[in-house]
Amino acid sequence: MQNLFSYPLKLEDMSREVRKYELNAGAEELGFITEIMKVPAVKSFHAEVYVKLGKKNHLADVWGTVDADVEQTSVISLENFIRPYHADFELKFDTKMTEAELRELESDIEADVPDILEDGQIDLAAIAMEQLALVLDDFPRQDGEVFHFDSEFDDETAPKTNPFAVLEKLKK
């Protein structure tokens, strides 16, 4: 599948000053995001992403917000509905770390491990889509929908039977 929504940012294009990037998905791009998210439809997608290269260290700070209107199917009524989603995020990218160094750091559970640049760049659109995926409801339901389950095996409705009644029949 061809990536129709991408905004690669190369390391040499990053600055020590904060730079703002606005990402808006058009109709074709919304279709691509819909496929990626595995939902009935993504109606709108907007992200504001800020990037700043660290002064002394070799870390790039990436933060921002993602807003999207997503059509989902209720797990209760099985009807489609549209819900707005909002995500705030903050990430760090190490501009010099290698895959081997990353694996070494990941063994330390308590370490705050930054991401690494792949091919000397980061894809701001991929980051924004990932942030949306993280906030999507796994079991979406419309406001006010409540699941009620009436079991046919409730203690009050099920007849009381002796589990040893079958053995009594064998004695005879």
Side-chain angles (χ1 to χ4, degrees), residues 13-54:
D13 295 334
M14 294 181 197
S15 167
R16 298 205 187 286
E17 296 178 14
V18 176
R19 289 205 177 149
K20 178 182 176 181
Y21 300 89
E22 288 203 39
L23 309 175
N24 290 300
E28 191 174 344
E29 295 160 329
L30 288 173
F32 173 75
I33 297 169
T34 296
E35 282 185 49
I36 296 294
M37 297 296 155
K38 305 284 189 231
V39 294
V42 176
K43 300 293 188 177
S44 68
F45 185 93
H46 174 78
E48 287 184 2
V49 183
Y50 299 88
V51 179
K52 180 182 179 189
L53 200 56

mmCIF file of all heavy atoms in Angstrom, residues 13-54:
data_model
loop_
_atom_site.group_PDB
_atom_site.id
_atom_site.type_symbol
_atom_site.label_atom_id
_atom_site.label_comp_id
_atom_site.label_asym_id
_atom_site.label_seq_id
_atom_site.Cartn_x
_atom_site.Cartn_y
_atom_site.Cartn_z
ATOM 1 N N ASP A 13 17.047 19.758 8.130
ATOM 2 C CA ASP A 13 15.989 20.769 8.056
ATOM 3 C C ASP A 13 15.470 21.178 9.441
ATOM 4 O O ASP A 13 14.644 22.074 9.555
ATOM 5 C CB ASP A 13 14.827 20.260 7.204
ATOM 6 C CG ASP A 13 15.238 20.057 5.752
ATOM 7 O OD1 ASP A 13 16.184 20.735 5.299
ATOM 8 O OD2 ASP A 13 14.614 19.210 5.086
ATOM 9 N N MET A 14 15.954 20.491 10.480
ATOM 10 C CA MET A 14 15.534 20.824 11.842
ATOM 11 C C MET A 14 16.348 22.009 12.342
ATOM 12 O O MET A 14 17.464 22.237 11.906
ATOM 13 C CB MET A 14 15.713 19.623 12.763
ATOM 14 C CG MET A 14 14.813 18.467 12.427
ATOM 15 S SD MET A 14 15.082 17.113 13.581
ATOM 16 C CE MET A 14 14.329 15.783 12.694
ATOM 17 N N SER A 15 15.763 22.751 13.281
ATOM 18 C CA SER A 15 16.392 23.974 13.763
ATOM 19 C C SER A 15 16.445 23.971 15.285
ATOM 20 O O SER A 15 15.674 23.289 15.950
ATOM 21 C CB SER A 15 15.568 25.156 13.269
ATOM 22 O OG SER A 15 15.941 26.338 13.925
ATOM 23 N N ARG A 16 17.342 24.780 15.812
ATOM 24 C CA ARG A 16 17.410 24.940 17.271
ATOM 25 C C ARG A 16 16.283 25.835 17.769
ATOM 26 O O ARG A 16 16.057 25.958 18.951
ATOM 27 C CB ARG A 16 18.762 25.508 17.670
ATOM 28 C CG ARG A 16 19.903 24.567 17.295
ATOM 29 C CD ARG A 16 21.111 24.782 18.155
ATOM 30 N NE ARG A 16 22.265 24.025 17.726
ATOM 31 C CZ ARG A 16 22.423 22.720 17.886
ATOM 32 N NH1 ARG A 16 21.477 22.020 18.453
ATOM 33 N NH2 ARG A 16 23.519 22.109 17.482
ATOM 34 N N GLU A 17 15.591 26.455 16.835
ATOM 35 C CA GLU A 17 14.399 27.245 17.175
ATOM 36 C C GLU A 17 13.168 26.398 16.917
ATOM 37 O O GLU A 17 13.161 25.531 16.048
ATOM 38 C CB GLU A 17 14.354 28.505 16.318
ATOM 39 C CG GLU A 17 15.504 29.454 16.583
ATOM 40 C CD GLU A 17 15.457 30.667 15.673
ATOM 41 O OE1 GLU A 17 14.425 30.903 15.026
ATOM 42 O OE2 GLU A 17 16.486 31.369 15.604
ATOM 43 N N VAL A 18 12.113 26.671 17.660
ATOM 44 C CA VAL A 18 10.877 25.911 17.503
ATOM 45 C C VAL A 18 10.257 26.208 16.143
ATOM 46 O O VAL A 18 10.108 27.369 15.755
ATOM 47 C CB VAL A 18 9.863 26.269 18.626
ATOM 48 C CG1 VAL A 18 8.543 25.559 18.402
ATOM 49 C CG2 VAL A 18 10.432 25.930 19.991
ATOM 50 N N ARG A 19 9.936 25.133 15.435
ATOM 51 C CA ARG A 19 9.248 25.272 14.155
ATOM 52 C C ARG A 19 7.911 24.558 14.240
ATOM 53 O O ARG A 19 7.807 23.466 14.786
ATOM 54 C CB ARG A 19 10.069 24.672 13.021
ATOM 55 C CG ARG A 19 11.283 25.505 12.711
ATOM 56 C CD ARG A 19 11.724 25.295 11.293
ATOM 57 N NE ARG A 19 12.853 26.160 10.997
ATOM 58 C CZ ARG A 19 13.794 25.850 10.158
ATOM 59 N NH1 ARG A 19 13.740 24.727 9.495
ATOM 60 N NH2 ARG A 19 14.776 26.690 9.933
ATOM 61 N N LYS A 20 6.900 25.214 13.676
ATOM 62 C CA LYS A 20 5.543 24.668 13.710
ATOM 63 C C LYS A 20 5.180 24.127 12.327
ATOM 64 O O LYS A 20 5.432 24.770 11.314
ATOM 65 C CB LYS A 20 4.553 25.769 14.104
ATOM 66 C CG LYS A 20 3.113 25.328 14.115
ATOM 67 C CD LYS A 20 2.204 26.497 14.474
ATOM 68 C CE LYS A 20 0.742 26.122 14.395
ATOM 69 N NZ LYS A 20 -0.129 27.240 14.719
ATOM 70 N N TYR A 21 4.564 22.933 12.323
ATOM 71 C CA TYR A 21 4.101 22.312 11.089
ATOM 72 C C TYR A 21 2.627 21.974 11.254
ATOM 73 O O TYR A 21 2.235 21.367 12.260
ATOM 74 C CB TYR A 21 4.891 21.032 10.794
ATOM 75 C CG TYR A 21 6.368 21.286 10.638
ATOM 76 C CD1 TYR A 21 7.218 21.249 11.743
ATOM 77 C CD2 TYR A 21 6.903 21.586 9.398
ATOM 78 C CE1 TYR A 21 8.573 21.496 11.601
ATOM 79 C CE2 TYR A 21 8.263 21.832 9.248
ATOM 80 C CZ TYR A 21 9.081 21.781 10.355
ATOM 81 O OH TYR A 21 10.426 22.035 10.211
ATOM 82 N N GLU A 22 1.810 22.385 10.300
ATOM 83 C CA GLU A 22 0.382 22.060 10.326
ATOM 84 C C GLU A 22 0.114 21.027 9.249
ATOM 85 O O GLU A 22 0.484 21.212 8.090
ATOM 86 C CB GLU A 22 -0.460 23.310 10.091
ATOM 87 C CG GLU A 22 -0.430 24.227 11.292
ATOM 88 C CD GLU A 22 -1.628 25.153 11.357
ATOM 89 O OE1 GLU A 22 -2.747 24.708 11.039
ATOM 90 O OE2 GLU A 22 -1.418 26.304 11.733
ATOM 91 N N LEU A 23 -0.525 19.940 9.656
ATOM 92 C CA LEU A 23 -0.839 18.857 8.740
ATOM 93 C C LEU A 23 -2.352 18.724 8.633
ATOM 94 O O LEU A 23 -3.028 18.542 9.647
ATOM 95 C CB LEU A 23 -0.241 17.541 9.237
ATOM 96 C CG LEU A 23 1.238 17.554 9.607
ATOM 97 C CD1 LEU A 23 1.650 16.219 10.191
ATOM 98 C CD2 LEU A 23 2.087 17.894 8.407
ATOM 99 N N ASN A 24 -2.876 18.855 7.437
ATOM 100 C CA ASN A 24 -4.306 18.675 7.183
ATOM 101 C C ASN A 24 -4.453 17.620 6.099
ATOM 102 O O ASN A 24 -3.799 17.703 5.056
ATOM 103 C CB ASN A 24 -4.951 19.987 6.720
ATOM 104 C CG ASN A 24 -5.030 20.990 7.843
ATOM 105 O OD1 ASN A 24 -5.655 20.749 8.859
ATOM 106 N ND2 ASN A 24 -4.348 22.113 7.671
ATOM 107 N N ALA A 25 -5.301 16.652 6.341
ATOM 108 C CA ALA A 25 -5.500 15.579 5.375
ATOM 109 C C ALA A 25 -6.627 15.939 4.417
ATOM 110 O O ALA A 25 -7.702 16.360 4.836
ATOM 111 C CB ALA A 25 -5.829 14.274 6.099
ATOM 112 N N GLY A 26 -6.360 15.756 3.114
ATOM 113 C CA GLY A 26 -7.378 15.944 2.081
ATOM 114 C C GLY A 26 -8.185 14.662 1.913
ATOM 115 O O GLY A 26 -7.983 13.675 2.632
ATOM 116 N N ALA A 27 -9.087 14.650 0.962
ATOM 117 C CA ALA A 27 -9.997 13.516 0.762
ATOM 118 C C ALA A 27 -9.245 12.212 0.509
ATOM 119 O O ALA A 27 -9.545 11.178 1.114
ATOM 120 C CB ALA A 27 -10.955 13.809 -0.383
ATOM 121 N N GLU A 28 -8.271 12.231 -0.378
ATOM 122 C CA GLU A 28 -7.521 11.008 -0.690
ATOM 123 C C GLU A 28 -6.708 10.552 0.524
ATOM 124 O O GLU A 28 -6.623 9.355 0.820
ATOM 125 C CB GLU A 28 -6.603 11.272 -1.885
ATOM 126 C CG GLU A 28 -5.972 10.022 -2.450
ATOM 127 C CD GLU A 28 -5.178 10.305 -3.712
ATOM 128 O OE1 GLU A 28 -5.350 11.378 -4.331
ATOM 129 O OE2 GLU A 28 -4.366 9.444 -4.074
ATOM 130 N N GLU A 29 -6.139 11.513 1.224
ATOM 131 C CA GLU A 29 -5.353 11.193 2.414
ATOM 132 C C GLU A 29 -6.230 10.645 3.532
ATOM 133 O O GLU A 29 -5.830 9.745 4.266
ATOM 134 C CB GLU A 29 -4.600 12.434 2.879
ATOM 135 C CG GLU A 29 -3.563 12.894 1.866
ATOM 136 C CD GLU A 29 -3.143 14.336 2.042
ATOM 137 O OE1 GLU A 29 -3.985 15.152 2.495
ATOM 138 O OE2 GLU A 29 -1.993 14.663 1.728
ATOM 139 N N LEU A 30 -7.457 11.179 3.668
ATOM 140 C CA LEU A 30 -8.386 10.663 4.670
ATOM 141 C C LEU A 30 -8.722 9.201 4.389
ATOM 142 O O LEU A 30 -8.869 8.394 5.315
ATOM 143 C CB LEU A 30 -9.664 11.510 4.716
ATOM 144 C CG LEU A 30 -9.517 12.894 5.328
ATOM 145 C CD1 LEU A 30 -10.806 13.690 5.149
ATOM 146 C CD2 LEU A 30 -9.131 12.825 6.794
ATOM 147 N N GLY A 31 -8.858 8.852 3.121
ATOM 148 C CA GLY A 31 -9.103 7.457 2.760
ATOM 149 C C GLY A 31 -7.948 6.560 3.183
ATOM 150 O O GLY A 31 -8.155 5.449 3.687
ATOM 151 N N PHE A 32 -6.724 7.043 3.005
ATOM 152 C CA PHE A 32 -5.543 6.290 3.430
ATOM 153 C C PHE A 32 -5.529 6.125 4.953
ATOM 154 O O PHE A 32 -5.280 5.034 5.466
ATOM 155 C CB PHE A 32 -4.273 7.006 2.958
ATOM 156 C CG PHE A 32 -3.009 6.397 3.482
ATOM 157 C CD1 PHE A 32 -2.526 5.207 2.965
ATOM 158 C CD2 PHE A 32 -2.294 7.019 4.499
ATOM 159 C CE1 PHE A 32 -1.355 4.644 3.447
ATOM 160 C CE2 PHE A 32 -1.128 6.467 4.985
ATOM 161 C CZ PHE A 32 -0.655 5.279 4.462
ATOM 162 N N ILE A 33 -5.809 7.211 5.669
ATOM 163 C CA ILE A 33 -5.822 7.151 7.142
ATOM 164 C C ILE A 33 -6.920 6.199 7.610
ATOM 165 O O ILE A 33 -6.728 5.437 8.560
ATOM 166 C CB ILE A 33 -6.003 8.556 7.744
ATOM 167 C CG1 ILE A 33 -4.814 9.442 7.367
ATOM 168 C CG2 ILE A 33 -6.151 8.499 9.257
ATOM 169 C CD1 ILE A 33 -5.000 10.918 7.684
ATOM 170 N N THR A 34 -8.054 6.198 6.935
ATOM 171 C CA THR A 34 -9.144 5.283 7.277
ATOM 172 C C THR A 34 -8.676 3.837 7.171
ATOM 173 O O THR A 34 -8.963 3.013 8.047
ATOM 174 C CB THR A 34 -10.353 5.522 6.347
ATOM 175 O OG1 THR A 34 -10.852 6.841 6.585
ATOM 176 C CG2 THR A 34 -11.449 4.523 6.589
ATOM 177 N N GLU A 35 -7.962 3.514 6.107
ATOM 178 C CA GLU A 35 -7.444 2.149 5.936
ATOM 179 C C GLU A 35 -6.468 1.789 7.049
ATOM 180 O O GLU A 35 -6.505 0.684 7.582
ATOM 181 C CB GLU A 35 -6.736 2.007 4.594
ATOM 182 C CG GLU A 35 -7.654 1.848 3.417
ATOM 183 C CD GLU A 35 -6.874 1.590 2.135
ATOM 184 O OE1 GLU A 35 -5.979 0.707 2.145
ATOM 185 O OE2 GLU A 35 -7.163 2.286 1.142
ATOM 186 N N ILE A 36 -5.603 2.718 7.386
ATOM 187 C CA ILE A 36 -4.607 2.470 8.428
ATOM 188 C C ILE A 36 -5.284 2.259 9.785
ATOM 189 O O ILE A 36 -4.915 1.366 10.543
ATOM 190 C CB ILE A 36 -3.599 3.648 8.519
ATOM 191 C CG1 ILE A 36 -2.801 3.775 7.229
ATOM 192 C CG2 ILE A 36 -2.677 3.506 9.718
ATOM 193 C CD1 ILE A 36 -1.882 2.626 6.925
ATOM 194 N N MET A 37 -6.287 3.070 10.094
ATOM 195 C CA MET A 37 -6.948 3.014 11.399
ATOM 196 C C MET A 37 -7.953 1.868 11.511
ATOM 197 O O MET A 37 -8.411 1.557 12.605
ATOM 198 C CB MET A 37 -7.669 4.338 11.692
ATOM 199 C CG MET A 37 -6.771 5.534 11.787
ATOM 200 S SD MET A 37 -5.628 5.404 13.164
ATOM 201 C CE MET A 37 -4.330 6.451 12.584
ATOM 202 N N LYS A 38 -8.337 1.277 10.378
ATOM 203 C CA LYS A 38 -9.310 0.177 10.363
ATOM 204 C C LYS A 38 -10.637 0.589 11.002
ATOM 205 O O LYS A 38 -11.173 -0.090 11.868
ATOM 206 C CB LYS A 38 -8.756 -1.059 11.081
ATOM 207 C CG LYS A 38 -7.434 -1.560 10.553
ATOM 208 C CD LYS A 38 -7.607 -2.290 9.271
ATOM 209 C CE LYS A 38 -6.321 -2.977 8.855
ATOM 210 N NZ LYS A 38 -5.899 -2.713 7.533
ATOM 211 N N VAL A 39 -11.146 1.742 10.566
ATOM 212 C CA VAL A 39 -12.440 2.265 11.017
ATOM 213 C C VAL A 39 -13.303 2.508 9.783
ATOM 214 O O VAL A 39 -12.788 2.532 8.661
ATOM 215 C CB VAL A 39 -12.273 3.574 11.830
ATOM 216 C CG1 VAL A 39 -11.538 3.314 13.139
ATOM 217 C CG2 VAL A 39 -11.561 4.646 11.024
ATOM 218 N N PRO A 40 -14.629 2.691 9.948
ATOM 219 C CA PRO A 40 -15.467 2.966 8.779
ATOM 220 C C PRO A 40 -15.046 4.218 8.017
ATOM 221 O O PRO A 40 -15.074 4.223 6.789
ATOM 222 C CB PRO A 40 -16.874 3.116 9.364
ATOM 223 C CG PRO A 40 -16.854 2.293 10.610
ATOM 224 C CD PRO A 40 -15.450 2.440 11.145
ATOM 225 N N ALA A 41 -14.652 5.277 8.720
ATOM 226 C CA ALA A 41 -14.220 6.495 8.021
ATOM 227 C C ALA A 41 -13.533 7.455 8.989
ATOM 228 O O ALA A 41 -13.885 7.527 10.164
ATOM 229 C CB ALA A 41 -15.403 7.198 7.368
ATOM 230 N N VAL A 42 -12.554 8.177 8.465
ATOM 231 C CA VAL A 42 -11.968 9.316 9.168
ATOM 232 C C VAL A 42 -12.464 10.533 8.406
ATOM 233 O O VAL A 42 -12.147 10.722 7.238
ATOM 234 C CB VAL A 42 -10.431 9.253 9.197
ATOM 235 C CG1 VAL A 42 -9.858 10.497 9.855
ATOM 236 C CG2 VAL A 42 -9.959 8.000 9.926
ATOM 237 N N LYS A 43 -13.287 11.337 9.060
ATOM 238 C CA LYS A 43 -13.943 12.467 8.398
ATOM 239 C C LYS A 43 -13.053 13.707 8.313
ATOM 240 O O LYS A 43 -13.161 14.479 7.373
ATOM 241 C CB LYS A 43 -15.248 12.822 9.119
ATOM 242 C CG LYS A 43 -16.258 11.687 9.152
ATOM 243 C CD LYS A 43 -16.757 11.388 7.769
ATOM 244 C CE LYS A 43 -17.911 10.392 7.817
ATOM 245 N NZ LYS A 43 -18.443 10.139 6.501
ATOM 246 N N SER A 44 -12.205 13.921 9.319
ATOM 247 C CA SER A 44 -11.286 15.055 9.296
ATOM 248 C C SER A 44 -10.049 14.685 10.105
ATOM 249 O O SER A 44 -10.112 13.857 11.016
ATOM 250 C CB SER A 44 -11.936 16.320 9.862
ATOM 251 O OG SER A 44 -12.157 16.169 11.252
ATOM 252 N N PHE A 45 -8.928 15.309 9.748
ATOM 253 C CA PHE A 45 -7.668 15.041 10.436
ATOM 254 C C PHE A 45 -6.816 16.298 10.361
ATOM 255 O O PHE A 45 -6.523 16.791 9.280
ATOM 256 C CB PHE A 45 -6.933 13.868 9.768
ATOM 257 C CG PHE A 45 -5.694 13.449 10.496
ATOM 258 C CD1 PHE A 45 -5.736 12.450 11.442
ATOM 259 C CD2 PHE A 45 -4.472 14.059 10.232
ATOM 260 C CE1 PHE A 45 -4.594 12.058 12.113
ATOM 261 C CE2 PHE A 45 -3.322 13.683 10.897
ATOM 262 C CZ PHE A 45 -3.387 12.671 11.842
ATOM 263 N N HIS A 46 -6.442 16.809 11.524
ATOM 264 C CA HIS A 46 -5.613 18.013 11.609
ATOM 265 C C HIS A 46 -4.600 17.803 12.731
ATOM 266 O O HIS A 46 -4.948 17.350 13.822
ATOM 267 C CB HIS A 46 -6.471 19.245 11.913
ATOM 268 C CG HIS A 46 -5.652 20.476 12.159
ATOM 269 N ND1 HIS A 46 -5.082 21.217 11.149
ATOM 270 C CD2 HIS A 46 -5.294 21.086 13.315
ATOM 271 C CE1 HIS A 46 -4.419 22.233 11.675
ATOM 272 N NE2 HIS A 46 -4.526 22.168 12.989
ATOM 273 N N ALA A 47 -3.355 18.144 12.444
ATOM 274 C CA ALA A 47 -2.312 18.037 13.461
ATOM 275 C C ALA A 47 -1.453 19.290 13.448
ATOM 276 O O ALA A 47 -1.163 19.847 12.386
ATOM 277 C CB ALA A 47 -1.455 16.807 13.209
ATOM 278 N N GLU A 48 -1.067 19.737 14.625
ATOM 279 C CA GLU A 48 -0.084 20.800 14.795
ATOM 280 C C GLU A 48 1.108 20.157 15.485
ATOM 281 O O GLU A 48 0.989 19.638 16.590
ATOM 282 C CB GLU A 48 -0.630 21.938 15.654
ATOM 283 C CG GLU A 48 -1.645 22.783 14.950
ATOM 284 C CD GLU A 48 -2.111 23.976 15.785
ATOM 285 O OE1 GLU A 48 -1.605 24.158 16.922
ATOM 286 O OE2 GLU A 48 -2.980 24.709 15.300
ATOM 287 N N VAL A 49 2.236 20.170 14.798
ATOM 288 C CA VAL A 49 3.430 19.516 15.307
ATOM 289 C C VAL A 49 4.539 20.558 15.425
ATOM 290 O O VAL A 49 4.775 21.334 14.501
ATOM 291 C CB VAL A 49 3.878 18.375 14.374
ATOM 292 C CG1 VAL A 49 5.080 17.651 14.953
ATOM 293 C CG2 VAL A 49 2.731 17.396 14.123
ATOM 294 N N TYR A 50 5.206 20.563 16.581
ATOM 295 C CA TYR A 50 6.312 21.478 16.841
ATOM 296 C C TYR A 50 7.595 20.659 16.967
ATOM 297 O O TYR A 50 7.599 19.595 17.594
ATOM 298 C CB TYR A 50 6.072 22.266 18.133
ATOM 299 C CG TYR A 50 4.824 23.105 18.081
ATOM 300 C CD1 TYR A 50 3.584 22.579 18.448
ATOM 301 C CD2 TYR A 50 4.881 24.423 17.645
ATOM 302 C CE1 TYR A 50 2.437 23.357 18.381
ATOM 303 C CE2 TYR A 50 3.741 25.205 17.587
ATOM 304 C CZ TYR A 50 2.521 24.662 17.960
ATOM 305 O OH TYR A 50 1.381 25.426 17.893
ATOM 306 N N VAL A 51 8.667 21.165 16.374
ATOM 307 C CA VAL A 51 9.948 20.460 16.392
ATOM 308 C C VAL A 51 11.044 21.436 16.791
ATOM 309 O O VAL A 51 11.092 22.565 16.299
ATOM 310 C CB VAL A 51 10.271 19.858 15.002
ATOM 311 C CG1 VAL A 51 11.610 19.142 15.023
ATOM 312 C CG2 VAL A 51 9.163 18.918 14.544
ATOM 313 N N LYS A 52 11.917 20.959 17.690
ATOM 314 C CA LYS A 52 13.054 21.778 18.115
ATOM 315 C C LYS A 52 14.240 20.860 18.358
ATOM 316 O O LYS A 52 14.132 19.857 19.045
ATOM 317 C CB LYS A 52 12.725 22.531 19.403
ATOM 318 C CG LYS A 52 13.869 23.392 19.891
ATOM 319 C CD LYS A 52 13.532 24.097 21.186
ATOM 320 C CE LYS A 52 14.724 24.928 21.624
ATOM 321 N NZ LYS A 52 14.550 25.467 22.953
ATOM 322 N N LEU A 53 15.356 21.216 17.766
ATOM 323 C CA LEU A 53 16.593 20.472 17.961
ATOM 324 C C LEU A 53 17.266 20.999 19.216
ATOM 325 O O LEU A 53 17.373 22.210 19.407
ATOM 326 C CB LEU A 53 17.487 20.678 16.739
ATOM 327 C CG LEU A 53 18.589 19.667 16.495
ATOM 328 C CD1 LEU A 53 18.038 18.251 16.406
ATOM 329 C CD2 LEU A 53 19.322 20.007 15.209
ATOM 330 N N GLY A 54 17.719 20.096 20.095
ATOM 331 C CA GLY A 54 18.360 20.496 21.345
ATOM 332 C C GLY A 54 19.662 21.241 21.114
ATOM 333 O O GLY A 54 20.364 21.006 20.138
#
